[in-house]
Amino acid sequence: MDHEQLLKGDKLVLRGMMFHGFHGVKPEERKLGQKFLVDVDAWMDLEAAGKSDLLSDTISYTEIYRIVREVVEGPPQNLLEAVAQVIASRTLTKYPQILAVRVKVGKPHVAVHGSLDYLGVEILRYQNANA
């Protein structure tokens, strides 16, 4: 299946996860920390779970949530790109049945002159590229 077809398929969706972390390049970010907003899409075949209604035929959302929480609340990274990459890499490594993962990491409270909801990054990684 090519990447374009894959992204039109089934996926697990986690939206609006918020955690306090200490990521950033500025000393105050490392000392005080801040809130990080994370969204994850994980593409995988959900047909078996839809037919069987068994958790064993899918991946529990709480497992992906746990990975995100551990990364965001864990050791600090300088860049949001690195935070997103670690989340994607751990998710694909732990769950080979996930074919692709999109991770969006945002900082809702940033020191900029202007109005915005958040600043952030969004990455898309594929299982075969993780090997």
Side-chain angles (χ1 to χ4, degrees):
M1 177 183 304
D2 69 24
H3 291 169
E4 189 174 316
Q5 283 182 304
L6 171 66
L7 298 181
K8 293 179 182 176
D10 303 346
K11 65 182 175 179
L12 300 174
V13 178
L14 291 86
R15 293 283 182 270
M17 295 175 280
M18 190 171 291
F19 305 98
H20 191 86
F22 295 87
H23 311 287
V25 294
K26 297 178 182 174
E28 60 271 17
E29 292 176 307
R30 293 293 183 112
K31 182 179 179 183
L32 302 173
Q34 61 191 305
K35 296 293 180 195
F36 291 87
L37 183 62
V38 182
D39 294 337
V40 172
D41 294 320
W43 281 269
M44 62 178 287
D45 187 349
L46 300 176
E47 186 174 6
K51 289 179 177 178
S52 71
D53 198 27
L54 296 173
L55 183 58
S56 60
D57 286 333
T58 190
I59 296 170
S60 173
Y61 303 102
T62 59
E63 294 299 318
I64 297 173
Y65 181 93
R66 185 174 295 120
I67 290 170
V68 174
R69 186 185 70 221
E70 288 172 356
V71 172
V72 176
E73 293 181 348
Q77 303 289 332
N78 288 323
L79 304 177
L80 294 180
E81 291 86 342
V83 174
Q85 180 63 41
V86 173
I87 292 168
S89 180
R90 285 190 189 173
T91 301
L92 291 170
T93 299
K94 186 166 185 179
Y95 300 106
Q97 63 270 52
I98 294 178
L99 304 173
V101 64
R102 177 183 291 135
V103 180
K104 186 187 308 184
V105 181
K107 288 182 179 183
H109 306 291
V110 292
V112 297
H113 299 290
S115 177
L116 55 83
D117 289 335
Y118 67 90
L119 295 175
V121 300
E122 180 176 317
I123 66 168
L124 178 61
R125 299 293 181 262
Y126 296 93
Q127 186 62 256
N128 56 0
N130 197 53

